[in-house]
Amino acid sequence: MPELPEVETVARGLQSTVAGRRILTVKLRKSDFIDDPTALERELPGRQIERIERFGKFMLLRLAGVPAQSVQELSASASSSSIEPLAEALLVHLGMTGHLAPHFPDQPLTKHTHVTLELDDGRELRYTDARRFGRMAYLAGAALDAELERFGADPLLVTKEEFAQRIRASHSRIKALLLDQAVLRGVGNIYADEALWKAKIHPVKIGTCLVPSELETLRKDLRKILLKAIELRGSSISDFVDAGGIPGDYQQHHKVYGRAGESCFRCSAKIKRIIVAGRSSHFCPHCQPAPRGVSGSRGHSRKNAKRNRPRAPSKR
DNA sequence: CTCGATCCCTGGACGC
DNA sequence: TGCGTCCAGGGATCGA
């Protein structure tokens, strides 16, 4: 599941392998995860991929040049050199199962390859996503700015003051805040749980209740964990691989995520799993004591409530 | 404002 | 072997 470190890993890989290449053609198969599929087909051909950046869990393929279609119109119009070039980008969110990687055209398409960008060096940049929880969008100018402004601070860059201000601004639970992309961009379920464990903070603790020392510990621990994970090229839980098809190694370092029922590495207590903000949350009930008013080990834990809810017959 | 519930989607795990 | 069922999760959306 690509979170900040995984997206950073893929972005770096693409930066070193496809930056500078020009897009020749766009081929779409399934396109229900694309904001405006025709915009991709219209705007991308002829564009150069100037560079690839990570923005939260998004990859930003910064585009340069003019679309092939507009070349004639542009040459007909008067001095366009005075016009500031519009920032343009292809946004790619990998969702849960997205992959974006260069391939040689003789490599067979896989079942869920939905977008193929033919490059000027003979390769193809392919987007594959079985579950289609990902997202793709071509955005330019004000629309691009507006989209990016929806997101909060980068957890690697956020200052002590801004972090404290953002977390303490809300009465939500800390786990929900860490997952909220409008608060911090790039943190997902794995790294939220890992950071809370390291900082010894219970996931249901309310943001406004965190004292300054807790906040600063959390910020630093989150940052350390993310940097270490980037160093190890991310966590490969289900099928994450980088742009070169290589899995990451950080899953070996998970302290709580996916370890329900196992022993805490600090105190040997049994790691618990509860649902917070609709997501499974793993924590140590001893190291991360429940805040006042929350029974940490039973009763209020919604753990297995509604587990047996009958499922609507699958309609397709 | 914050919450949970629901939906999207499919592969993989599991039980029988 | 094969089928049915459950489950995972990021994000949008809606109602409480």
Side-chain angles (χ1 to χ4, degrees):
Chain A
M1 48 210 68
E3 301 180 26
L4 187 154
E6 292 76 29
V7 178
E8 178 73 31
T9 299
V10 175
R12 287 182 185 181
L14 292 174
Q15 173 64 27
S16 66
T17 53
V18 304
R21 298 272 59 83
R22 195 171 294 276
I23 297 167
L24 300 182
T25 64
V26 175
K27 285 178 216 155
L28 305 180
R29 287 161 95 184
K30 286 224 170 78
S31 60
D32 55 359
F33 60 96
I34 303 175
D35 283 25
D36 180 359
T38 60
L40 260 67
E41 297 175 312
R42 184 180 65 241
E43 302 291 345
L44 295 188
R47 284 303 212 293
Q48 184 188 40
I49 303 171
E50 208 169 25
R51 66 181 185 280
I52 294 95
E53 307 167 4
R54 176 188 60 76
F55 186 89
K57 295 178 194 173
F58 281 90
M59 275 182 293
L60 238 56
L61 280 65
R62 296 278 186 180
L63 304 171
V66 291
Q69 261 188 24
S70 311
V71 169
Q72 291 185 339
E73 307 161 29
L74 199 79
S75 59
S77 78
S79 64
S80 56
S81 55
S82 60
I83 300 168
E84 182 73 15
L86 221 53
E88 293 175 87
L90 179 65
L91 263 70
V92 180
H93 194 298
L94 300 174
M96 294 294 299
T97 52
H99 297 277
L100 185 66
H103 293 268
F104 292 104
D106 59 352
Q107 293 175 284
L109 290 181
T110 59
K111 186 177 171 187
H112 299 293
T113 300
H114 304 305
V115 178
T116 299
L117 306 179
E118 187 193 357
L119 303 178
D120 63 355
D121 62 358
R123 290 178 302 164
E124 296 177 346
L125 188 56
R126 296 180 185 170
Y127 180 74
T128 302
D129 187 357
R131 281 177 228 182
R132 304 209 297 288
F133 272 23
R135 181 185 160 202
M136 204 174 273
Y138 165 84
L139 291 171
L144 177 59
D145 293 341
E147 178 64 26
L148 299 185
E149 275 168 20
R150 298 168 50 220
F151 296 94
D154 188 302
L156 295 180
L157 305 175
V158 67
T159 61
K160 174 182 179 176
E161 291 74 21
E162 188 184 3
F163 185 80
Q165 175 259 313
R166 285 180 171 277
I167 296 296
R168 301 201 62 174
S170 166
H171 290 89
S172 294
R173 299 155 167 183
I174 185 62
K175 175 68 184 277
L177 290 168
L178 291 177
L179 292 180
D180 187 343
Q181 301 300 296
V183 175
L184 289 175
R185 58 176 126 107
V187 181
N189 208 33
I190 296 175
Y191 298 102
D193 280 4
E194 293 297 316
L196 289 172
W197 178 82
K198 189 146 201 247
K200 302 184 181 177
I201 297 170
H202 194 286
V204 307
K205 196 150 184 179
I206 305 300
T208 46
C209 295
L210 293 179
V211 299
S213 63
E214 283 178 308
L215 286 165
E216 187 56 1
T217 300
L218 179 58
R219 183 185 72 91
K220 285 182 173 168
D221 286 340
L222 175 61
R223 185 182 142 81
K224 271 185 233 166
I225 286 167
L226 293 172
L227 288 173
K228 182 69 180 173
I230 289 171
E231 196 182 306
L232 295 179
R233 301 179 347 279
S235 301
S236 290
I237 292 289
S238 51
D239 63 348
F240 171 75
V241 289
D242 69 13
I246 302 167
D249 286 327
Y250 192 73
Q251 66 280 5
Q252 320 267 0
H253 295 251
H254 292 176
K255 300 290 198 278
V256 280
Y257 185 83
R259 296 192 66 245
E262 296 176 41
S263 296
C264 174
F265 288 126
R266 265 192 309 242
C267 75
S268 298
K270 229 183 197 184
I271 300 299
K272 299 200 62 151
R273 187 178 84 95
I274 60 173
I275 303 296
V276 182
R279 298 288 171 254
S280 62
S281 295
H282 311 76
F283 69 102
C284 171
H286 179 252
C287 295
Q288 298 163 265
R292 280 185 188 284
V294 177
S295 72
S297 52
R298 59 184 163 278
H300 238 47
S301 159
R302 297 187 61 259
K303 197 159 73 164
N304 285 322
K306 305 220 170 158
R307 264 297 119 97
N308 298 324
R309 157 180 50 97
R311 248 180 173 244
S314 67
K315 51 216 163 191
R316 190 157 307 158

